[in-house]
Amino acid sequence: MIFKLSTLLTAMLTGTLLLTSCQQQSASVIDDKDSQNSEQLDAEDNKKAVQSDSTKARIEQFQPLYVAEVLSLQRRLQAEYDAFEAADTSVDETSLLNTDIAITDPLATDDQTPTASKNEPVIPLALDSKAGNDPKTIKTDTSANTEINTSTEIGERDLEVLKLISLEPQQPKILTEAQIIKRYQQAMKALYQPVTTELNAQEIDTLINISTLLAQLFEHEEIAQRVNVKSPALARLIVQYQVGKQIEAQQVLDMQQMKVTQQQEFEGLMLKFNETIKGYDEQIAKYEQTLKDFK
């Protein structure tokens, strides 16, 4: 019996050791695979991507279109800025002119302007003879004041947020056609740089301009994939902008369709109205003829 028990314990111990060694070997194999995968990913991230021929053709095709869009945008921004500056200058001149008139106008003096005496006592409105001298007659609409104050506070909070963003026209930075082309080509090349090489501010700015002015360029699968790899945040921004543009375009179509529907409904009502009036005219003509017959 003792021999059997010792044999059983020896078998159990041997099995435990074998199982432990197998687990260690499998864990080491998994670690080796993970390290190899991470090394492969790192090696791929440090490599430049190869630009396909279709992508090169698409980038070359959209280059003159993008240049034309940027030049047109720069002209509009410059015209808006010039108009703003001209309006601001005219307002300043008008204010200066009004200030001069106020200073030299003799009617603006205190001696000839009928005003209340500064020594006269101020009589509260609540102490009027009709209302009596009882202070209890003074009533205030607290609910209206509370509503006004609440809406005012909300408006003030909104204004505080909007103050952080200036909507006034700024002096636009005018780029030449050569500079626009250079930035366009640099941004396209930057998309194919290794993933570890981050986009700089100028490249991001150019890509944002492309997405707002000529988003069709990113409808190419390879270019869209490179944008997503190089800057996922920029890719999400482009998608959100495109979704917004699609919603806006759909709203325009809906408004146009609604106008067409309303016009059709109005024309239908006018047709019914005209038919009704025509029927009344025919009845009146019959009545008139009947009266003539009786006479």
Side-chain angles (χ1 to χ4, degrees), residues 6 26 39 44 48 60 75 79 86 91 117 150 167 174 181 186 201 203 226 235 241 245-246 261 263 265 285 288 294:
S6 62
S26 61
E39 289 177 357
E44 291 178 358
K48 290 184 178 181
E60 292 177 359
R75 287 193 295 268
V91 169
S117 174
T150 303
L167 299 179
I174 305 300
I181 294 174
Q186 286 179 348
E203 293 164 350
R226 291 309 304 171
Y241 178 79
K245 294 293 287 184
Q246 291 178 359
T261 304
Q263 182 65 26
E265 292 177 355
E288 292 177 350
F294 279 128

Side-chain angles (χ1 to χ4, degrees), residues 53-225:
D53 295 335
S54 63
T55 303
K56 291 180 181 178
R58 187 176 183 85
I59 291 173
E60 292 177 359
Q61 176 188 359
F62 278 82
Q63 177 176 302
L65 301 176
Y66 174 70
V67 172
E69 289 290 338
V70 174
L71 291 175
S72 177
L73 175 62
Q74 289 181 163
R75 287 193 295 268
R76 293 198 303 269
L77 293 176
Q78 186 63 47
E80 291 177 359
Y81 180 77
D82 293 340
F84 176 80
E85 286 292 312
D88 192 22
T89 303
S90 63
V91 169
D92 292 340
E93 292 176 353
T94 304
S95 62
L96 290 174
L97 183 60
N98 292 335
T99 304
D100 295 339
I101 294 174
I103 294 174
T104 58
D105 190 0
L107 296 178
T109 59
D110 293 335
D111 295 335
Q112 298 184 11
T113 303
T115 56
S117 174
K118 297 180 180 179
N119 296 327
E120 292 180 359
V122 179
I123 301 176
L125 295 177
L127 300 182
D128 185 62
S129 59
K130 296 181 180 179
N133 295 333
D134 189 2
K136 295 181 181 180
T137 59
I138 303 175
K139 296 182 180 180
T140 57
D141 190 356
T142 56
S143 60
N145 290 337
T146 303
E147 184 178 356
I148 294 173
N149 291 335
T150 303
S151 61
T152 303
E153 290 176 359
I154 295 174
E156 289 178 353
R157 288 198 298 270
D158 294 340
L159 289 175
E160 289 297 328
V161 175
L162 292 176
K163 286 179 182 178
L164 302 176
I165 303 175
S166 176
L167 299 179
E168 295 182 357
Q170 303 293 328
Q171 176 68 42
K173 185 176 181 181
I174 305 300
L175 300 176
T176 63
E177 183 175 348
Q179 291 174 331
I180 297 172
I181 294 174
K182 182 179 180 181
R183 292 192 178 191
Y184 174 83
Q185 293 177 351
Q186 286 179 348
M188 292 297 101
K189 290 180 181 178
L191 292 178
Y192 287 84
Q193 295 299 316
V195 178
T196 54
T197 304
E198 296 182 356
L199 299 171
N200 58 39
Q202 180 177 299
E203 293 164 350
I204 292 176
D205 183 67
T206 303
L207 291 172
I208 291 176
N209 288 337
I210 296 172
S211 66
T212 55
L213 297 176
L214 207 65
Q216 298 88 340
L217 176 64
F218 296 110
E219 293 177 1
H220 190 274
E221 182 178 359
E222 182 179 311
I223 299 176
Q225 183 180 4

Side-chain angles (χ1 to χ4, degrees), residues 8 45 61 68 96 173 242 262:
L8 180 61
D45 290 343
Q61 176 188 359
L96 290 174
K173 185 176 181 181
Q242 289 304 305
Q262 290 177 348

